[in-house]
Amino acid sequence: MGEDGAVTSAPQRPDGPLSAPRLIATDLDGTLLRDDKTVSARTVAALAAAEQAGIEVFFVTGRPARWMGVVSDHVHGHGLAICANGAAVVDLHAGGEFVQVRSLPRATALTVVDALRAAAPGTSFAVELTTGINYEPSYPPFFQDPGAAVAIAEKLLSAELDDTAAPVLKLLAHHRDIAPDDFLALARSAAGAYASITRSSPTSLLEISGLGVSKASTLALCCAERGISPAEVVAFGDMPNDLEMLTWAGTSYAMGNAHPDVLASASDRTVANNEDGVALVIERILDQGSARQPGL
């Protein structure tokens, strides 16, 4: 599941008929990307072939826009990607320019901070903005950002409450002692009425967005703009932050390395990310589409 421990593959390649979709939506880490954070040559070829066949491809990730360089060369056609678990739609052809932002109100974020401090003492926070990330002194240094402001969350969130403040995309909450799924359940019980709370990390790191903001809800908006129905979407994922998207899409694939909840919720299963599970399914979709063409 993502970066968590040993990767186990599904026992065999998916079988059964696949109808040609109009859009493929895929998570990145633990799904499209290999564990070394690269896109394999096979996957690059499959993505290009899908676009050539008229199937739109959307990257739908928890990553911020500034971390999209790993796939920016592999976006064709529209050039759009859904980032920060649905909080932003960005144009990778324009260097990650924000096309749409679904922010977490700062007052709501402060309410969540208060609720989690009470429910899970020892929680530390970071604030993901459209302009970068700021974090508390006790927040683990997962990715050092030399431009980050370091202060308690209450100060980071209340310093600027007017319209000129950079929008908050996500509030991140980390706990050193509570198990990841237990922390998620506790946080949802304490603060789920105020915001959308999920996780994609193997550590006890929660990702908190505006209420109703998810990969699924933003993908649904993008599809509605294109006249694409859920039945015409094939989605791929591996972690709890993919669950809504996988249950919304007409066809969904859990990676062989996926979280147990994802394996239980997706309609289908493919092999692990290190075995190019997304590419395998795309190849099969295109092969079946070719077989349906007259004269082939």
Side-chain angles (χ1 to χ4, degrees), residues 29 42 49 61 79 84 88 95 107 113 121-122 134 136 139 141 183 238 255 261 273 278 285 291-292 294:
D29 296 282
R42 180 183 182 184
T61 179
V113 168
N134 298 325
E136 294 191 312
Y139 188 77
F183 190 31
D238 74 308
M255 308 305 293
D261 290 349
N273 63 316
V278 173
I285 289 171
R292 286 191 292 267

Side-chain angles (χ1 to χ4, degrees), residues 77-284:
H78 56 79
L80 300 179
I82 296 171
C83 296
N85 289 330
V89 179
V90 302
D91 185 348
L92 298 183
H93 288 335
E97 176 183 322
F98 288 94
V99 175
Q100 181 181 17
V101 173
R102 304 178 69 195
S103 64
L104 172 65
R106 286 171 178 257
T108 302
L110 284 166
T111 299
V112 173
V113 168
D114 289 344
L116 293 187
R117 290 211 195 279
T123 300
S124 60
F125 297 93
V127 182
E128 181 71 49
L129 309 166
T130 55
T131 53
I133 189 168
N134 298 325
Y135 40 78
E136 294 191 312
S138 57
Y139 188 77
F142 295 119
F143 303 97
Q144 292 285 3
D145 186 337
V150 181
I152 62 169
E154 288 83 353
K155 182 175 181 180
L156 294 173
L157 289 165
S158 63
E160 296 175 322
L161 290 173
D162 58 60
D163 292 339
T164 65
V168 176
L169 297 178
K170 290 193 297 184
L171 178 69
L172 302 169
H174 180 268
H175 205 285
R176 296 183 184 276
D177 302 318
I178 304 174
D181 285 332
D182 292 342
F183 190 31
L184 176 60
L186 177 63
R188 285 176 169 171
S189 176
Y194 313 118
S196 296
I197 307 174
T198 190
R199 58 174 287 255
S200 62
S201 170
T203 67
S204 294
L205 177 64
L206 305 183
E207 301 164 63
I208 302 162
S209 306
L211 195 63
V213 175
S214 69
K215 290 185 176 186
S217 61
T218 301
L219 178 61
L221 292 173
C222 292
C223 286
E225 291 173 354
R226 291 159 172 75
I228 297 174
S229 70
E232 297 172 301
V233 176
V234 174
F236 298 86
D238 74 308
M239 286 296 279
N241 65 328
D242 297 314
L243 283 169
E244 293 93 343
M245 177 175 73
L246 295 175
T247 55
W248 176 83
T251 304
S252 59
Y253 284 87
M255 308 305 293
N257 51 290
H259 185 283
D261 290 349
V262 174
L263 292 169
S265 298
S267 61
D268 293 279
R269 190 181 300 188
T270 185
V271 297
N273 63 316
N274 284 336
E275 300 172 70
D276 299 329
V278 173
L280 185 153
V281 175
I282 293 175
E283 290 164 355
R284 188 160 172 266

Side-chain angles (χ1 to χ4, degrees), residues 31-88:
T31 300
L32 189 81
L33 303 182
R34 293 191 167 187
D35 286 349
D36 63 2
K37 306 304 179 187
T38 63
V39 186
S40 72
R42 180 183 182 184
T43 297
V44 169
L47 295 174
E51 291 277 4
Q52 188 173 9
I55 302 170
E56 291 195 67
V57 177
F58 265 77
F59 299 135
V60 188
T61 179
R63 287 183 171 222
R66 64 183 182 279
W67 288 359
M68 294 300 289
V70 67
V71 293
S72 59
D73 290 340
H74 310 305
V75 176
H76 307 270
H78 56 79
L80 300 179
I82 296 171
C83 296
N85 289 330

